[in-house]
Each structure stands twice: as C-alpha cells, then as structure tokens.
Amino acid sequence: MLPQGTGTSGTARIDNLRQRLKLRRGRAFLITSLINIRYLTGFSGSSGYLLITGEGCYFFTDFRYQEQSKAEVVSCEIIITKKDPVGYIIKSIEKKGIKHLACEDTLSYRQFAMFSKKFQMTALKDTIEKIRLIKDEAELWHIRRAAKRAEDAFIGIKPQIKAGVTEKAVASMLEESLTAQGVSNMPFKVIAASGRHAAMPHAKPTDKALEGGDLLILDWGGESDGYYSDMTRTFLIAGGNDLSKKREIYDIVRNANREARNSVRTGQSAAEVDMAARRVIADAGYGQYFGHSTGHGVGIEVHELPYISAVNRKQKLEQNMVFTIEPGIYIPALGGVRIEDMVCVTGDSPQMITNLSRNLEII
Ligand SMILES: [Mn+2]
C-alpha cells in the first residue's frame, strides 16, 4: 500500500533530530510528548519516554507495553521500567553521565521539578514540531488518503442532507460514513452548524432542523494511519427568501480562499497567505466578521505548525509543508460561511489535497 523507499524510518528522523541538537558529551534530550515520540519511534501506546544522547537512543516504557514496543519501536534500545518510572529513568540517565538535560517545554511542572533535582535543565520549544513541518512522501500519502476518505464519506451522505434533517443527524451520518471509509480515529467531532448557529465558527451540532434558506457549515476530517485531514464546505438549504446577502458573503469567502491558495509558494511568509485572504474580506467591508486566522498545519495533529496568521511573518513556506486555508465570514443572526481546503506547498503553486467543489451548492 505504501510507496517504497520513502524515507519514513524512525532512524532517519532521529538522526535528523540529533544533527540539529548537536549533543555534546554529558548532555541529552528527554522527549515526553507522546505525539513526538510516535513521530520519532513509531510507538503508539499511551506511556513512554524517549532519551536521545550523542551516541544512543533509549525508549522507556512499562510492562504493559513490553510487546507493543518491541513490535513498533525502531532504532532505539527499549527499557522496561519498574514501579516509579520517573525515578527509574532519572537513575538511568545519571548512570549515563548526563549532567545537562534538555526537555520539551510541555513537560509538566511536577516532573520538571523532579528532574531539576538531579540535572541542569533546559526547556526546548517546538524542536520536533519544526521537523514535523516538512512532510515526507509516506506522510503525504497518508494525508491525501485521509482527505480522500473524508471527501468520499461526504459524497456518500450528501443526498440525505436537506431541510427537516437535524444538525445532529447530519453530523452523525457523516461520522458513520467516515468510519465506513476506514477512518478509525476522527480528528474532531463533525461540526454541522445551520442558520444562526453558522455564525459560530465552532458550533456544536444541535437538535435544530435544517430550514430553507439556512447556510449550513460542515467541518469534518478524515484519518489514515494516524495522519489527519481537515476541510469545511458551506451549503445553502433550498427554499427561503432574500438570499442575496448569503450569496454575497459566500462569493467573498470563496474569493478569499482562492486568493490565499494562489499566494502559496515556497519562500512566501505565512503572514502573506493570511493577508491574501484577509484583504479580500476587508475590501468587501466584512473584515470585522473574520475573527480567526486563515489556517494551520495538519499532520499527526489536526492543529500543528505552521500557523497561517497575520503575526507569523517569520515563518517561511517550504516545499512539502501541509496546511489549511479556511477564511470565513460570520454574521450574528444571519449565519456564516467558511470554505476550508488543505494544500501542500510545491514550488510556485500548491498541490491541492482537498478537491470538493467550492461553488455554492443549493441542497
Ligand atoms: Mn481547520
């Protein structure tokens, strides 16, 4: 199923990390984020610590994961901890002659305090997250498959979305359809927001039935082997009258989405992509109704680097970064529109990961 020779091995990722860290004797990096541990080693369990030294790589877990870690963890020595894993790990790190220990800045304060008693500590921010920014071919393959599953899941239930059906029913149909497509772990609960609820970017589905003239925002994601996708489409429910403002904001958001996608190229800043979308909406007079940033990275987390926001001037886009473009306009009482796509940065124009039509559909 996977393309061959794609460089997805944990060895390559750990080597890459070690090169960046330039660990000297007596120094090590302790990784505690399970998501980063999964990225580096393949371990998918719920308890583990990863220690990288200049020479070696050590994965600590407890007896529950003895067999699983043997099957999953590549290129690390596996150490099964006894009771009190942190105490055990501290002793083991001391034995290696480590004096300076770097940790991730997400380490809990309680554990930070325990390690601080024995080691000189440094907290590192986003070290592995920055490596995760650039997707390799195997990762892109899974992200594309996740998006395909999400689109197929939607196409399967689309005929059943119509006036009279509740938001909750739409959301649960789509979730069942995602499961049927092979999605085993949804990135988030499906958002189905209609009518005035569509003015809330992250509304929870309710018992409200879809009514003629409602804008319906559907935001959903797929998954493939731990990699996620994320997309949003907005529909108009057939019926109702005086739809001119709804059509107007739809066209503006669609133009903003297109302008932002057209601005994606290697070397461009994330802030410029945000501005490309924001300019269209502000020029049309709706700037105050677009209160969130334009996008976010997607991979083994559904929200990860890079953040496509106006403040992210220093983040330059590079080949094989994957993120969303999701401008929106939300007007209290009227409703809202969001059109969210996923792109992969490629040279001067991005490759689209999501492909469902962006034309206004009346259903
Ligand atoms: Mn999103």
Side-chain angles (χ1 to χ4, degrees):
M1 293 276 275
L2 266 176
Q4 294 294 306
T6 48
T8 189
S9 80
T11 316
R13 291 177 184 174
I14 289 169
D15 285 350
N16 184 358
L17 173 62
R18 196 183 272 115
Q19 268 176 19
R20 286 166 181 247
L21 293 171
K22 298 188 176 65
L23 291 168
R24 282 177 281 144
R25 190 171 286 280
R27 292 172 184 261
F29 183 23
L30 179 72
I31 296 142
T32 44
S33 149
L34 286 164
I35 286 161
N36 286 336
I37 288 173
R38 178 166 187 180
Y39 176 75
L40 292 168
T41 69
F43 178 71
S44 67
S46 67
S47 175
Y49 298 79
L50 181 65
L51 183 76
I52 312 261
T53 67
E55 304 78 36
C57 178
Y58 310 89
F59 177 69
F60 299 88
T61 188
D62 61 69
F63 77 97
R64 291 172 300 168
Y65 291 114
Q66 194 153 4
E67 292 308 309
Q68 186 177 334
S69 59
K70 260 192 253 171
E72 290 180 342
V73 174
V74 291
S75 64
C76 290
E77 187 179 319
I78 298 169
I79 300 152
I80 304 300
T81 60
K82 304 291 176 319
K83 286 176 211 158
D84 179 22
V86 175
Y88 186 95
I89 291 164
I90 287 174
K91 283 207 185 79
S92 170
I93 298 175
E94 276 188 299
K95 273 191 207 147
K96 297 183 196 306
I98 303 298
K99 300 273 191 285
H100 298 261
L101 187 63
C103 65
E104 296 177 291
D105 69 352
T106 50
L107 182 65
S108 75
Y109 181 76
R110 191 173 59 83
Q111 290 198 0
F112 186 87
M114 289 167 82
F115 285 105
S116 295
K117 287 184 186 150
K118 297 289 184 182
F119 310 105
Q120 194 178 323
M121 300 293 290
T122 317
L124 302 181
K125 181 176 166 59
D126 290 340
T127 305
I128 299 157
E129 286 78 357
K130 283 179 184 162
I131 297 173
R132 283 168 39 198
L133 268 167
I134 311 295
K135 270 63 179 179
D136 65 31
E137 287 306 317
E139 293 183 288
L140 290 172
W141 189 88
H142 280 295
I143 290 168
R144 288 200 180 96
R145 185 162 78 160
K148 179 81 168 60
R149 286 174 169 176
E151 295 192 329
D152 289 347
F154 169 75
I155 291 164
I157 62 135
K158 190 178 170 194
Q160 295 167 69
I161 302 176
K162 53 187 147 203
V165 179
T166 67
E167 294 170 350
K168 274 187 185 167
V170 171
S172 67
M173 280 190 289
L174 186 45
E175 285 175 2
E176 276 174 33
S177 188
L178 284 162
T179 304
Q181 287 293 333
V183 170
S184 56
N185 185 16
M186 253 159 262
F188 53 88
K189 300 283 286 174
V190 168
I191 295 171
S194 67
R196 58 197 300 130
H197 297 159
M200 295 181 279
H202 277 177
K204 271 198 186 136
T206 71
D207 290 318
K208 178 190 169 301
L210 309 183
E211 294 167 62
D214 276 358
L215 286 165
L216 167 68
I217 293 181
L218 264 190
D219 186 346
W220 75 105
E223 181 258 2
S224 170
D225 197 31
Y227 284 85
Y228 293 126
S229 70
D230 187 5
M231 70 184 299
T232 305
R233 287 294 182 266
T234 302
F235 305 91
L236 191 55
I237 304 302
N241 41 39
D242 193 19
L243 304 174
S244 57
K245 192 154 187 179
K246 291 169 185 172
R247 289 177 184 278
E248 180 197 349
I249 62 173
Y250 190 94
D251 284 342
I252 297 163
V253 171
R254 189 177 54 172
N255 289 342
N257 169 294
R258 189 188 58 232
E259 288 302 308
R261 287 188 283 117
N262 287 344
S263 77
V264 172
R265 65 183 70 87
T266 54
Q268 177 76 292
S269 83
E272 275 303 320
V273 176
D274 180 86
M275 284 311 298
R278 205 162 295 283
R279 209 175 289 128
V280 173
I281 293 174
D283 286 353
Y286 290 95
Q288 62 170 312
Y289 300 108
F290 177 27
H292 56 73
S293 59
T294 294
H296 55 86
V298 181
I300 48 177
E301 286 183 288
V302 71
H303 295 114
E304 59 179 43
L305 299 182
Y307 289 100
I308 309 301
S309 83
V311 295
N312 212 356
R313 300 207 157 279
K314 285 185 186 153
Q315 176 70 65
K316 296 288 186 239
L317 302 184
E318 292 175 49
Q319 188 82 10
N320 289 5
M321 284 185 180
V322 170
F323 52 85
T324 66
I325 302 277
E326 50 179 308
I329 294 178
Y330 312 91
I331 302 179
L334 182 87
V337 174
R338 179 166 65 255
I339 304 173
E340 174 179 29
D341 284 295
M342 278 174 72
V343 299
C344 175
V345 179
T346 314
D348 283 338
S349 61
Q351 274 179 15
M352 295 309 300
I353 293 173
T354 46
N355 295 292
L356 286 185
S357 165
R358 293 167 202 93
N359 295 331
L360 179 59
E361 287 187 72
I362 299 165
I363 56 177

